DNA sequence: TTGTAAGCGTTATCAC
DNA sequence: GTGATAACGCTTACAA
């Protein structure tokens, strides 16, 4: 029992092997759940492992296996809650696995962005990466991952890639539903604050907006569409633009909640009653959406679930089982007080 | 030039050594910036490295060095923006180093929390961890890190540990300043929505609140203090409690912005004019603070800078230089429209 | 079912 | 200054 000179360092596979009276390979088999193992041997080894408090060294395993246990999250999404929800979803999928999550925010718009991500992938060689919008919409980035040999899954607002490499919410349908909801309440003059050019989400949401109006045979003058860039500030500007119109729109759909908050701000400044004089609908269901006054009707996309599936697509199928994770996710319209039938 | 059977795998240190006509140890010296190296040799090796696109394998380095290049972020902070700001700050400090950030949200309140973190530390053996409040206030956790032999730095609202293991904002002073500001505008009846019991930040902020009133010789009846738990919901309840009082407080200080938003909500519901009838002050300067109406006067603590220093305390001093990172950080009162002199 | 030997890509030791 | 050689802790051949 009394080992001579018990070193205080972490026990290694050798210690376990010695104490259990087996070879390291056998211990390795136990760790890796090899099926061809005498049950007695397994038990004995497990006991020694527990007794010693042995934990396999991930770096050593990574070296021997020529792959590591890191999943990267590459993102440039400005919405903190979204990013955290994604992290939560990924970690949920990674629980009970040996994988860890490493995060890598990148600077969208930086001319060296692709190089930066490339350097990160080359250096760390993560087992796989989850790409968040809007950067996930960048096809060059996906190609880069492929060329480097790094698995990836893109999150997005529409089918961006084949099922193995993407999870998406159907933003177009979701917005269409929201607008149809407004129409059903009697709104006829509905404005849109759209997201920035080059963003797939912005394009999809606009498309859904237009489709809904078209289906209802309601004309859409260009003046009812204001530009935004997903910031509160741009929502303020867009709100001023749209509320200057005569006749005023009775409802405004915003491509995200931040901008909706901006529009609400302007409406209040002008003494408009929301939703009496103006209904407002957002997109994202950020925490703020529920906390502003009146609470914002908005669209919630299942970020965490999507992220979870994304991660499972990456790490799943390692045990040979096919990965049958969904690729498309439904968003839900969250009805709150900011949208109601127009007053008169 | 034409190597026979160029394998498509990543180049290793051996490839570099062979091509440069030196030993692997020399290449290793170049990588690790060893000072005792012939400049010519170094240049030649660097050329080959660049030519080959060689990148050292972090896992192999970790194994050989018996330490890895991972900094963990352990957090249970509910504020997404805060967590992301921390991540940003840490990564800023880690840029240009070989370290990566791995994140580990934990479930505060789970009875197995300490075990969970312990398992994480044992398994991954990160080089160091940054602990976010409120979990960072847990002394048992700090002890656990020490016993496992994992470096740590705690972020907090007050001195929680010695300088090497902590960075803190001075919440007490910050709140004191905010309350003094309200007093200077003529408020005499000021309510407090405090944070949950057991949170150091809540205690510090309350202490600052009380000190300011005491310094001004203003009595503080217990009824002017309402309990909250840092959620919007609890802000609603606390707001109702305080605004039921007669005479009504003319100002309310909230221990965070979420709760301030809740109080604002109630004030609006009751038709109160903010700030005319009621001034509101928050704490945190979340994005929401600037987007609600009226924009919220609040206290901003330099999260990212603190996180940056925390990370530097962890990885600094590796090159022998002493780490001279600050431990205390000043918060700033952000004056917005939600606080003004009382109407009458 | 289990063990032996070799190797994963790097760094430390200690000669030269 | 530089280079053999032996670690580091694990896994994959391939034997037994």
């Amino acid at each position: 029992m009394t080992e001579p000179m018990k070193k205080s360092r972490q026990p290694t596979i050798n210690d376990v092997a010695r104490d259990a009276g087996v070879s390291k390979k056998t211990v390795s088999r136990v760790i890796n759940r090899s099926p061809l193992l005498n049950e007695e041997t397994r038990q004995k080894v497990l006991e020694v492992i527990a007794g010693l408090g042995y934990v396999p060294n991930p770096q050593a395993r990574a070296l021997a296996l020529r792959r590591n246990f890191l999943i990267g999250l590459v993102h440039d999404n400005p919405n903190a809650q979204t990013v955290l929800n994604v992290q939560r979803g990924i970690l949920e999928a990674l629980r009970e696995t040996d994988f860890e999550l490493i995060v890598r925010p990148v600077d969208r718009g930086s001319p060296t962005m692709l190089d930066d991500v490339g350097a990160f992938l080359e250096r760390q060689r993560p087992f796989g990466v989850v790409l968040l919008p809007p950067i996930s919409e960048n096809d060059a980035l996906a190609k880069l991952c492929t060329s480097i040999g790094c698995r990836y899954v893109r999150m997005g607002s529409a089918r961006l890639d084949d099922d193995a490499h993407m999870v998406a919410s159907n933003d177009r349908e979701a917005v269409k539903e929201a607008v149809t909801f407004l129409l059903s309440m009697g709104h006829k003059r509905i404005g849109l604050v759209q997201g920035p050019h080059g963003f797939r989400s912005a394009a999809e949401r606009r498309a859904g907006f237009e489709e809904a109006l078209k289906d209802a045979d309601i004309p859409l003058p260009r003046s009812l569409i204001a530009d935004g860039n997903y910031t509160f500030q741009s929502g303020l500007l867009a709100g001023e633009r749209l509320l200057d119109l005569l006749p005023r729109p009775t409802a405004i759909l915003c491509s995200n909640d931040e901008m909706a908050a901006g529009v609400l701000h302007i409406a209040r400044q002008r003494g408009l009653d929301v939703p009496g004089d103006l209904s407002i609908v957002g997109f994202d269901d950020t925490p703020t959406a529920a906390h502003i006054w009146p609470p914002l009707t908005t669209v919630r996309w299942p970020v965490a679930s999507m992220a979870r599936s994304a991660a499972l697509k990456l790490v799943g199928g390692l045990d040979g089982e096919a990965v049958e994770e969904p690729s498309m996710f439904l968003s839900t319209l969250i009805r709150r007080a900011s949208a109601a039938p127009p007053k008169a």
Side-chain angles (χ1 to χ4, degrees), chain A residues 19 38 56 68 75 96 139 156 165 171 185 217 222 226 236 258 299 333 343:
Chain A
D19 285 18
N38 189 324
N68 61 29
H75 76 264
E96 309 294 313
D139 288 328
H165 292 108
D171 284 17
M185 292 193 300
D217 275 328
R222 181 63 182 80
L236 294 176
E258 290 268 300
V299 176
L333 182 65
K343 222 181 232 165

Side-chain angles (χ1 to χ4, degrees), chain A residues 114 131 134-146 152 154 159-161 200:
Chain A
L114 271 182
L131 273 20
I135 209 187
S136 60
E137 299 164 4
N138 188 328
D139 288 328
L141 183 54
K143 286 215 188 71
L144 178 64
C145 292
T146 307
Y152 70 88
R154 304 157 79 174
R159 299 196 170 280
L160 294 164
D161 211 316
R200 184 65 182 265

Side-chain angles (χ1 to χ4, degrees), chain A residues 33-205:
Chain A
R33 300 193 177 74
S34 163
L36 12 72
L37 251 182
N38 189 324
E39 187 54 28
E40 291 174 33
T41 324
R42 177 199 305 285
Q43 286 308 330
K44 183 168 56 177
V45 172
L46 283 176
E47 273 172 33
V48 176
I49 286 182
L52 248 38
Y54 166 71
V55 181
N57 178 323
Q59 275 78 36
R61 298 189 71 202
L63 183 56
L65 286 166
R66 274 174 288 295
R67 70 183 185 77
N68 61 29
F69 298 90
L70 302 174
I71 297 294
L73 170 62
V74 175
H75 76 264
D76 63 341
N77 192 296
N79 186 210
Q81 191 63 54
T82 299
V83 175
L84 272 208
N85 283 341
V86 167
Q87 295 186 0
R88 191 161 49 74
I90 295 177
L91 285 163
E92 209 171 277
L94 264 34
R95 177 174 314 169
E96 309 294 313
T97 75
D98 298 322
F99 288 92
E100 291 293 334
L101 175 63
I102 67 186
V103 296
R104 174 52 115 231
V106 302
D107 184 7
R108 158 188 50 255
S110 155
T112 62
M113 185 277 288
L114 271 182
D115 292 337
D116 294 346
V117 178
F120 166 65
L121 295 180
E122 295 270 14
R123 196 168 301 276
Q124 222 49 46
R125 305 232 143 227
F127 180 79
V129 288
V130 175
L131 273 20
L132 266 203
I135 209 187
S136 60
E137 299 164 4
N138 188 328
D139 288 328
L141 183 54
K143 286 215 188 71
L144 178 64
C145 292
T146 307
S147 76
I148 289 183
C150 177
R151 269 161 267 246
Y152 70 88
V153 173
R154 304 157 79 174
M155 291 180 60
S157 324
R159 299 196 170 280
L160 294 164
D161 211 316
D162 52 294
D163 276 7
H165 292 108
M166 150 224 107
V167 294
S169 56
N170 194 334
D171 284 17
R172 185 185 302 219
E173 272 308 317
V175 168
K176 197 168 168 182
E177 182 191 339
V179 174
T180 305
F181 171 61
L182 287 173
L183 292 170
S184 75
M185 292 193 300
H187 291 277
K188 302 228 175 318
R189 215 171 139 65
I190 308 179
L192 169 72
V193 181
Q194 67 177 342
H197 297 292
F199 281 55
R200 184 65 182 265
S201 58
E204 290 292 323
R205 292 167 197 180

Side-chain angles (χ1 to χ4, degrees), chain A residues 86 88-90 92-93 303-313 325:
Chain A
V86 167
R88 191 161 49 74
I90 295 177
E92 209 171 277
V303 198
S305 305
M306 289 171 62
R308 189 169 161 281
S309 281
L312 287 175
K313 285 192 186 209
E325 283 301 317

